[in-house]
Amino acid sequence: MEDLEIRTRSRLSRNAFMLYNHMELESVQQDRAVFRLEIRPESKNPFGMVHGGALYTLADNAAGVAVHTDGRSYVTQTSSLHFLHNQPEGTVRAEGRVRHRGKTTCLAKVDITGTDGILLATGEFIFFCVTPAPAEQQSLNDASSADPPRKL
């Protein structure tokens, strides 16, 4: 297993919400992640289809892991997910890809496909970085080690 995958799986082992909802990381590469959900009775809405919240959570996880591959920490800032189709059983996969990485935000695209490859949902997520970039962190460390300001 590559270092990125080991670090990612270690971080995800603490994601109780993802584990509770039976979502699994299938693969991770720099700026890309794929998650899967085997549809279970508790994944379904009252109409017997995958619950929209389950699809959204799957998309948020895939996009979030793709964004986190730079080693920084992010939180979801805003998103839009367009539901196109649904299915009652089988496996659904969400593929998240980074489209743009800025200083404080990162844009990821997500596609969710069903067992037969049909596009079930697509969307975009913007994440806010809560960890300074390494160069900024060094500047913060340098500033904090400087002499404290003197009172006049």
Side-chain angles (χ1 to χ4, degrees), residues 1 4-14 24-27:
M1 221 183 298
L4 175 61
E5 185 175 349
I6 291 168
R7 282 182 316 202
T8 301
R9 289 190 184 280
S10 174
R11 187 171 49 77
L12 290 176
S13 71
R14 297 183 303 275
E24 299 177 49
L25 175 68
E26 194 167 273
S27 66

Side-chain angles (χ1 to χ4, degrees), residues 75-93:
V75 293
T76 306
Q77 184 175 30
T78 187
S79 65
S80 66
L81 190 64
H82 307 281
F83 299 98
L84 306 171
H85 294 283
N86 209 329
Q87 68 182 46
E89 57 189 27
T91 304
V92 292
R93 284 184 173 75

Side-chain angles (χ1 to χ4, degrees), residues 13-64:
S13 71
R14 297 183 303 275
N15 185 335
F17 189 74
M18 181 197 80
L19 298 171
Y20 181 80
N21 286 287
H22 309 287
M23 296 174 186
E24 299 177 49
L25 175 68
E26 194 167 273
S27 66
V28 62
Q29 303 164 356
Q30 189 63 41
D31 295 339
R32 180 182 178 270
V34 177
F35 273 75
R36 78 170 165 265
L37 171 66
E38 300 290 333
I39 299 171
R40 305 162 62 106
E42 57 270 26
S43 307
K44 297 180 182 185
N45 64 23
F47 301 105
M49 303 299 250
V50 181
H51 193 287
L55 293 174
Y56 179 89
T57 300
L58 192 66
D60 190 36
N61 278 300

